[in-house]
Structures are given as C-alpha cells and as structure tokens.
Amino acid sequence: FFWFCSGANFSILQKVPTESTKYVGIGATVFFTGVFAALAGFYALYTVFQTWGIALFFGLLWGAMIFNLDRFIVSSMRKKAQGWSEWKLALPRLVLALLLAVVISKPLELKLFEREINRKLDEQKIEFIKQSKDSLAKGFPEIQALEGEKEGLKKEERQARDYRDKLQQEYDAERFGEKTASTSGKVGLGTNAKKKEQQLDAAQKALDELMKSNQSRFLDLDTQIELLRAQRQAEFEKQAPSIAGFDGFAARMDGLAKLTQESEAMATAQLFIVLLFMAIETAPIFVKLISARGPYDELLELHEDQVKLYK
C-alpha cells in the first residue's frame, strides 16, 4: 500500500528489495499528508455547512485530491547523476508543496485555537449588538423626544412641589413665631399666617391639578414609548440571527488574525504550526532529493531509455 502511495513501479521495485524501505517511508509520508488534509478539509467544511455528512464527504474528497497531487509530485521526480539539475526540476514542486502546506494548516490552526477564537468572536458579537442598538436608537428619535417630554413634566411637578413645601415651611414658621425674612415672628394665626395659609392652599391646589393633568399625559406618553420600543425590539430581533450566526469560516479566520496581532505567543504558535505542515508537506520531496541514486532509479532510467530507443 505504501509502495502505491509513493508512486513507485511495483515490477521494478520488486527486483530491488534494498529500495523497499525508502519507498515505504516516502509513501507513508504522502499518505499521512493526505490524512491531515482530509481532517483539515472536514473541519473547514463543517464550520461552513454544520453538517457531518457533507463535511465528511468533501473532507475525504479534499484529502484524496491532496494525496493524489502529492503522489504525482513525488512519482514524477527522477534521480539524476547531477544533483543540481534535480533541485532545479524540484523547485516548482517545492513551491506547490509549500502552498498546499499553508492551505492545509489553516483549518487545523482554527481547531487548535478554537477556545481563544470563540472568546474573540463573543467579544465581536457583543460589540455588534451594541452597534446595532446604538444604530436603532438613532433610527427612533421619537422615543428620546417622548422621554424628554416626560422628564419635562416631572421637572414641572418637582418645581411645583418645591414651591408648595417652601410655603408650608413659611406658614409653619409664621404660626410658631419664628422670625425670618418672610415671617413676622408673631405666634398664632394672625393676618400674615392667614395669608401664608391662603398661598399654601393655592399652591397645593395648583400642584394637585398639575399632577392630575400630568397623570393622563404620562399614561399616553408611556403607551407611545412602549409601542416604539416594541418596534425597535422587532427590528433588533431581525438583526439578531445574523449577529448570532457570526461564526463562519471567514469570521474565524478574522478572529485568528486579530488574536495573532494582539498576542506574540499566538503569532509564534501559528508560525510553528505552519512550519510543521511545511515540513510534513515537503518531506516526501526532500526525501527523494537527499536520497542517493539507487538501483531502482537505475532500472527505471534503463526502462525509459529502452522506450526511447524503441521509438
């Protein structure tokens, strides 16, 4: 099976058993690279579709494609007598392998840093909710206007009550003979006390009438405010699903990017993961490059030369 993964020719390889271990190693590396690609593809697609069946199918399909591509890259390389010519031929394949490593590593990075990314996404959702509420508040200025009118009525009542309380204090001081700037200092219900009493009664009556008239206005204002708040809440609930669904692949990529910008440790860990997958993805090519030219390569070249001669 690992011979097949390495792309080796079985009939030639069986003639040179000393080469068996090398191609088993190359094939195993290609196979496990495909396994990692399948896992990465499965997780990436699961974050998109949230369905095990679809994610599993396309994850296996993605892993099979990467496996086939790596197998082709390794099997198409030929060991030559001149080492530098091999490196020149292998350079495009190395570039392709590095690109594949970056692609494969990203979904697995998202899985490894899942908790940190979830926390970052929660922070962004809270910020989106705040922005949505602020935007809706600006879209319903009537609520602020009605609440302002309500506060104005309350302020008017407070002023009337404070005036009534002030007259009550002056009336009490006049009756008990307390000398102040507005009282005579004579004890008893004299002329000044009766005037104070009349003023107090008038202020109390005005306060009662004001409170009575404001009570119906308060009920009307509260009804209008509640109606507008219900409309605003309905608009917010329309936006809530999109905010709650801010958990896709692109959102997680954005969260990971922000985390790496904020944390040097996260950036270092991400770099190490990418380097690890680069090493895994390029391992079969480097194994083929650094290995010495063996009898399998000799027989393979002989077979190809025979085809050329026959042609």
Side-chain angles (χ1 to χ4, degrees), residues 266-300:
M266 286 281 293
T268 304
Q270 183 188 28
L271 176 62
F272 285 163
I273 292 171
V274 173
L275 291 176
L276 173 64
F277 277 92
M278 284 182 176
I280 293 173
E281 185 64 32
T282 57
I285 300 174
F286 278 116
V287 167
K288 200 77 179 285
L289 287 172
I290 65 177
S291 61
R293 181 180 170 89
Y296 172 85
D297 303 296
E298 298 286 352
L299 290 176
L300 183 62

Side-chain angles (χ1 to χ4, degrees), residues 161-222:
R161 188 176 289 106
D162 292 341
Y163 179 66
R164 189 274 318 268
D165 293 341
K166 176 187 175 185
L167 292 177
Q168 180 70 54
Q169 291 174 359
E170 291 179 359
Y171 173 64
D172 293 339
E174 185 66 40
R175 283 191 303 157
F176 295 112
E178 294 181 13
K179 180 65 176 174
T180 63
S182 59
T183 59
S184 63
K186 296 178 181 180
V187 178
L189 295 174
T191 305
N192 290 332
K194 289 181 180 180
K195 289 182 179 179
K196 297 291 184 187
E197 184 178 11
Q198 291 173 357
Q199 292 175 355
L200 177 60
D201 291 341
Q204 182 64 51
K205 183 179 179 181
L207 176 61
D208 293 339
E209 290 176 354
L210 180 62
M211 292 178 65
K212 186 177 179 180
S213 64
N214 285 352
Q215 186 175 6
S216 60
R217 183 55 182 163
F218 280 146
L219 291 174
D220 186 35
L221 290 173
D222 288 338

Side-chain angles (χ1 to χ4, degrees), residues 23-49:
Y23 284 91
V24 165
I26 294 174
T29 307
V30 172
F31 171 73
F32 287 112
T33 302
V35 171
F36 280 123
L39 291 173
F42 167 76
Y43 178 71
L45 291 165
Y46 181 75
T47 58
V48 176
F49 296 106

Side-chain angles (χ1 to χ4, degrees), residues 239-258:
Q239 300 178 11
S242 62
I243 296 175
F246 186 72
D247 194 24
F249 189 76
R252 290 185 168 274
M253 287 288 292
D254 183 62
L256 180 60
K258 290 180 178 178

